[in-house]
Amino acid sequence: MLDRKYYINTETLRYERVKLTRKQLFRYLGLFSFGLITLAILMRFGFERFYPTPREIIYQQENNNLRSEYASLNLELLEVESQLTDLRNRDDRFYRAILSLDPIPSSIRTLGIGGAERGQRLKNLRNPGMVRIVSNRIDNITNKVRLQNNSLSVVLDEALDKQEFLACKPSINPISPADPTWLTSTYGYRNDPFTGKRTAHHGIDLAGPIGLDIHSTGAGTVIRARMNRYGYGKEVVVDHGFGYTSTYAHLDDILVEKGQKLKRGEIVGTLGSTGRSTGPHLHYEIRKDGRAVNPFYFFYENLTSEEYTLLASRASFPKGSYQPVAMSQK
């Protein structure tokens, strides 16, 4: 309540109340109203801070649900990206390698997509940060999928054109992964085990117990199956066409004949130690146009023991009954 003010009337010598002017009255009323409004606002903000409204509770629940969905979506995107990376690696290192295709440059694989329209939509959002992150990742995945799809189309077309070549080209280990073997000599120069001199070794040596099955590493025709007088002992040489031949030396038994047609995985003999040999092992050799090449470059189809056994069992099926075996890179 406003304080009452008095003054002394000199004529009547009495105290009389001071009357407020209209301007003063409005001033006091304005200050009083402002105080009430300020108090109301402070009370409302204080109440809302500690006691959210029902609408705010709903919004908060929806926000929590969106964050949970975002976390789940993030995990799914990570899984998709991991699978795409694995597919890209197999494409470059396996599919394209076996078809003699160049890998896709990283500069092309990392190209981004998206445009002004998407950016404008995100700009209009109140808080576009989280949405922009997801949107960019989806753009990146979309780009990778499109590129990988185009790459696999090229690989498929090339594979169809080279179907016969792929069937004939040496591209598996001559001994099943399930059999106990170990590498004793690699391709290149080495010290000769008999003379000690440094000489060229034109293949690889895989040691193991006598009698292990030796498999043809590609389809072809046997052009030699006999005892070699120059140190290879019992050997089998397969002509795969396209300039490729494979040699299997120091065999214990030869199980094919000259002129015989072979499928990839068919048994040509057993591991032995005939000829110029210090112990049971297979000397495996590949030549391209008469020149020795490193056999490790042709181990594209690293089969599991189950896949290798299945391939070998199908190699002797009658013509027309053979079905492709699913390959995997391990």
Side-chain angles (χ1 to χ4, degrees), residues 42-93:
L42 291 176
M43 291 179 63
R44 178 177 179 181
F45 277 108
F47 182 82
E48 290 180 351
R49 179 176 180 180
F50 297 101
Y51 302 97
T53 64
R55 178 174 294 182
E56 288 176 335
I57 293 176
I58 295 175
Y59 288 160
Q60 187 174 7
Q61 291 176 346
E62 291 179 351
N63 189 40
N64 292 336
N65 292 336
L66 287 175
R67 290 184 180 276
S68 178
E69 290 294 330
Y70 172 76
S72 299
L73 179 60
N74 184 57
L75 293 177
E76 293 177 5
L77 289 176
L78 287 175
E79 178 64 22
V80 172
E81 289 171 341
S82 175
Q83 293 179 4
L84 281 174
T85 299
D86 180 64
L87 183 59
R88 179 196 66 189
N89 291 335
R90 285 189 284 130
D91 182 25
D92 285 341
R93 301 175 185 176

Side-chain angles (χ1 to χ4, degrees), residues 99-152:
L99 292 169
S100 301
L101 295 173
D102 293 331
I104 299 176
S106 299
S107 58
I108 295 179
R109 286 194 179 275
T110 55
L111 288 177
I113 62 173
E117 182 180 355
R118 182 188 294 275
Q120 185 62 36
R121 292 202 307 268
L122 295 178
K123 186 178 180 180
N124 295 331
L125 295 177
R126 178 178 297 179
N127 186 14
M130 184 181 298
V131 179
R132 179 178 288 110
I133 293 174
V134 175
S135 178
N136 290 340
R137 292 180 66 182
I138 292 176
D139 284 348
N140 187 32
I141 291 174
T142 302
N143 183 41
K144 290 180 179 179
V145 170
R146 183 183 295 110
L147 179 63
Q148 194 60 61
N149 182 60
N150 294 336
S151 175
L152 292 179

Side-chain angles (χ1 to χ4, degrees), residues 31-47:
L31 291 174
F32 181 74
S33 300
F34 177 78
L36 288 178
I37 294 173
T38 302
L39 180 61
I41 292 174
L42 291 176
M43 291 179 63
R44 178 177 179 181
F45 277 108
F47 182 82

